[in-house]
């Protein structure tokens, strides 16, 4: 598979859409971002792997007021290796008190009849600075 410029743009917009939907509380639209069989891996943060869109939605609802008020995605790098398309990006999560957390999304994306969707996401928090 050769990724076109249109593919890359669509994947960048896909990653950005996630933050808009979550911040707007539009959890009923997560199917526009995630594949139905998505795996959402929170194990690097001490959590579990959520399976399916409904599990992601339920987890967001369970967080309630602990959800960030803003999800910002940047430094997106899209690659293709042996037919698998990945997107690695940095995120900032702004909390109600103004504090900010940062981390990395490592996504496997898949082209579907409805467009690109995240098939697997691994979420890691960045807690320590680089120590050369």
């Amino acid at each position: 598979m050769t990724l076109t410029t249109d593919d890359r743009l669509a994947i960048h917009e896909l990653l950005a859409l996630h933050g808009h939907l979550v911040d707007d509380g539009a959890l009923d639209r997560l199917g526009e971002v995630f594949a139905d069989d998505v795996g959402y891996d929170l194990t690097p943060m001490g959590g579990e792997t959520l399976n399916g869109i409904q599990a992601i939605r339920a987890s967001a609802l369970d967080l309630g007021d602990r959800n960030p008020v803003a999800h910002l995605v940047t430094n997106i790098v899209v690659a293709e290796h042996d037919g698998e398309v990945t997107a690695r990006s940095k995120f900032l999560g702004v909390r109600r008190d103004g504090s900010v957390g940062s981390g990395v999304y490592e996504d496997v994306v898949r082209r579907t009849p409805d467009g690109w969707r995240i098939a697997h996401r691994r979420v890691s928090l960045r807690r320590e600075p680089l120590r050369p």
Side-chain angles (χ1 to χ4, degrees):
M1 168 189 304
T2 300
L3 291 172
T4 67
T5 301
D6 286 344
D7 290 326
R8 290 176 182 279
L9 178 59
I11 293 167
H12 277 244
E13 289 190 1
L14 173 73
L15 301 184
L17 180 59
H18 168 259
H20 286 288
L21 294 181
V22 173
D23 294 346
D24 291 344
L27 301 178
D28 58 325
R29 293 180 54 198
L30 290 177
E32 295 175 32
V33 174
F34 295 108
D36 291 336
D37 61 346
V38 63
Y40 199 95
D41 183 0
L42 299 169
T43 59
M45 302 178 355
E48 60 185 331
T49 298
L50 305 172
N51 294 300
I53 295 170
Q54 291 309 315
I56 295 170
R57 183 179 184 280
S59 179
L61 291 172
D62 287 346
L63 279 176
D65 287 345
R66 294 173 299 164
N67 276 297
V69 296
H71 293 76
L72 308 169
V73 180
T74 187
N75 298 37
I76 299 168
V77 178
V78 177
E80 184 274 325
H81 300 286
D82 298 324
E84 181 176 80
V85 179
T86 60
R88 189 166 195 256
S89 57
K90 301 278 189 173
F91 70 85
L92 298 172
V94 182
R95 297 181 194 95
R96 285 177 81 174
D97 66 2
S99 62
V100 177
S102 66
V104 175
Y105 290 138
E106 295 178 82
D107 298 325
V108 174
V109 295
R110 173 189 318 147
R111 188 190 328 255
T112 74
D114 295 320
W116 288 96
R117 296 294 185 268
I118 298 170
H120 188 269
R121 170 168 276 182
R122 181 178 168 90
V123 184
S124 303
L125 293 181
R126 181 73 189 221
R127 298 181 189 261
E128 296 292 329
L130 176 66
R131 298 181 195 272

